[in-house]
Amino acid sequence: MTTIDNTAFDTLLAGRPLMAIFRGLGARRSLELARQAWSLGIDVVELPIQSEADLEALAAVAEAGRAEGRVVGAGTVVAVRHVEQAAAAGAAFTVSPGLDERVVRASFEAGLPPLPGVATATEVQQAMALGLTWLKAFPASLLGPAWFGAMSGPFPAARFVATGGMDASNAGVFLARGVRTVAVGSAFEDPEQLPALAALLAER
């Protein structure tokens, strides 16, 4: 069986403590927010794909991202057909809420580094047994910052992206616990959050 990995995130997320998620906002609004994120220095953007409109938005943002040297991925990838749709729309990687080996392998074989979701030691162990080192901890706000310290003991090679309930008020706490990247979503709809996110980036 083909050996898989997602070490591409070593480069994709290197020095990038924040990632933006824009869910169900349509192409126009997603582009506006993506450019806003890029202007703040948040180079990596994820667009969940749960409808045809989401795929159109992904294609538009991915095209704009390529023109500006930004990285755009597809989120909520829970089936092999979603991997195919993500690739067709120009995504650079896939993100899933859970761990599904079929989705992971399809993504890797399509040239899209997979970032599967985990929430337990069992899932972390299973993902790493497949060859994955970068994992999405979801829902991070419910798992809590201490979860990451607990996982670092048995799984020192694991690199986590914290997703779910993240914003400027708690991102720093998770980063301080060893999280490599924090993914924020609705914070971009709140003007008061933007200066705080910019300040957080300036500290890194």
Side-chain angles (χ1 to χ4, degrees), residues 150-179:
M151 291 299 109
S152 68
F155 307 112
R159 292 163 171 77
F160 292 105
V161 175
T163 305
M166 298 289 98
D167 59 25
S169 70
N170 60 10
V173 176
F174 282 80
L175 291 168
R177 288 300 186 103
V179 170

Side-chain angles (χ1 to χ4, degrees), residues 72-128:
V72 179
T76 317
V77 176
V78 297
V80 171
R81 65 181 176 84
H82 293 153
V83 176
E84 297 165 352
Q85 292 170 334
F93 60 90
T94 64
V95 184
S96 302
L99 176 62
D100 184 326
E101 183 175 348
R102 296 167 301 176
V103 172
V104 165
R105 289 193 176 277
S107 182
F108 178 77
E109 290 167 3
L112 307 180
L115 186 68
V118 297
T120 66
T122 298
E123 291 169 343
V124 174
Q125 185 169 325
Q126 290 173 342
M128 297 194 76

